[in-house]
Amino acid sequence: MLVKLLAYTPEPEKAVACAAKLCYAASDIDTLYDGLTEEKTAAFLDHLAAIGHESPIEHASFTFGIEGVSRSLLAQITRHRLASFSVQSQRYVKENAFAFVLPPEIEAIPEAKEEFLRAMEEDQRHYESLTAILTARHEKEFLAQGEDEKSARRKAEKKAIEDARFVLPNACTTKMICTMNARSLMNFFGLRCCNRAQWEIRQLAEAMLKEVKKVAPHLFQFAGPGCVRGACPEGNMSCGRAQEMREKYKNL
């Protein structure tokens, strides 16, 4: 897994403090940044956190480059709808010797790992076989329509992989660009840093949190699973390790 913070709102903490200042002080747009020192910025952010006023933090956005994650993770992360996603398409990009994510629980058991790797190899063979069969058929159709051989071959393969991709597994890796504002990220971290979250998206959430803490440490000082900011919200499904999690995310 590779996670990289590609872009973000310039001076994200000041942008949020600026919005908060407008809400609570008699300031003009042209003078909002006047006197907004690091100490006053931190004070505004602390005030927002204390009273639960979250809308000002929406003014800071963060864009991540993510690769080496599974299509299974893709199905989970896109449930966070207040975000923007651009994902590498299996319709346009051919999966030659596709990379895949090997779950640790499977990797830890030799016979399970062997079975899994065999399944990946079979999926690759089926994908290549279907691509070849469909390409041959589509190429004949395009040639009959008057396309030259090069064009017919290119269009045929593109059309073929649209359907051949249906045999690819959830383990197949993908790449994406993801943008969220700070409020959406706080919600994302609250849900996906939790011990009850699936291991892969929890790993991703922790990596993303480390990235944003580098550029907005005060803004994300209380980010993490729900138990970081109060009682565990998981009820009788709690992992029972709230104090451990608070220490972990305090020092993340």
Side-chain angles (χ1 to χ4, degrees):
M1 181 185 296
L2 174 64
V3 180
K4 185 176 181 180
L5 183 61
L6 299 178
Y8 55 91
T9 301
E11 296 186 291
E13 295 186 332
K14 279 194 175 183
V16 171
C18 179
K21 183 178 178 181
L22 181 67
C23 292
Y24 297 107
S27 301
D28 297 320
I29 296 298
D30 289 336
T31 60
L32 277 175
Y33 274 91
D34 293 353
L36 203 56
T37 63
E38 287 188 16
E39 292 75 16
K40 288 186 177 180
T41 295
F44 272 117
L45 296 179
D46 288 343
H47 179 66
L48 294 176
I51 65 175
H53 187 187
E54 297 182 331
S55 62
I57 73 174
E58 295 177 14
H59 295 289
S61 294
F62 302 82
T63 298
F64 304 86
I66 301 167
E67 67 177 52
V69 294
S70 70
R71 303 289 293 197
S72 179
L73 181 144
L74 176 63
Q76 295 181 73
I77 196 172
T78 50
R79 291 172 185 160
H80 294 269
R81 293 180 292 278
L82 296 181
S84 299
F85 299 96
S86 297
V87 182
Q88 188 173 79
S89 174
Q90 290 180 330
R91 183 183 178 195
Y92 293 100
V93 179
K94 188 177 180 181
E95 295 284 4
N96 293 314
F98 67 83
F100 54 83
V101 173
L102 175 59
E105 292 291 337
I106 293 178
E107 187 174 21
I109 305 172
E111 57 267 38
K113 180 179 179 181
E114 183 180 350
E115 180 70 21
F116 185 88
L117 295 178
R118 186 160 52 245
M120 296 302 102
E121 292 171 358
E122 290 176 0
D123 286 343
Q124 183 69 61
R125 285 197 298 270
H126 290 309
Y127 175 77
E128 292 174 355
S129 178
L130 284 168
T131 298
I133 294 169
L134 291 169
T135 297
R137 175 183 175 182
H138 297 323
E139 185 176 11
K140 290 180 181 179
E141 294 173 349
F142 284 124
L143 288 171
Q145 293 169 13
E147 295 279 352
D148 61 73
E149 288 188 9
K150 183 178 180 180
S151 176
R153 181 71 183 179
R154 176 177 54 81
K155 290 183 177 181
E157 184 176 84
K158 176 175 175 280
K159 189 174 180 180
I161 64 176
E162 290 184 4
D163 292 326
R165 62 181 169 151
F166 277 73
V167 299
L168 293 172
N170 275 337
C172 190
T173 60
T174 190
K175 303 172 185 177
M176 72 184 83
I177 303 294
C178 171
T179 300
M180 296 187 192
N181 67 46
R183 189 178 190 180
S184 292
L185 277 171
M186 289 294 287
N187 173 262
F188 175 72
F189 295 143
L191 296 172
R192 302 303 186 171
C193 289
C194 176
N195 279 331
R196 294 195 61 242
Q198 188 257 357
W199 66 269
E200 187 184 17
I201 200 166
R202 185 171 65 247
Q203 181 182 340
L204 172 64
E206 289 184 2
M208 291 168 67
L209 179 51
K210 288 178 181 178
E211 287 291 292
V212 295
K213 273 193 167 185
K214 294 175 185 176
V215 298
H218 205 83
L219 180 57
F220 292 102
Q221 63 177 319
F222 300 116
C227 60
V228 168
R229 296 179 296 281
C232 174
E234 297 297 318
N236 60 9
M237 289 188 278
S238 172
C239 70
R241 297 160 53 194
Q243 188 55 43
E244 177 187 336
M245 298 300 285
R246 292 179 189 125
E247 288 299 318
K248 173 183 176 178
Y249 283 92
K250 179 182 178 181
N251 301 308
L252 189 68

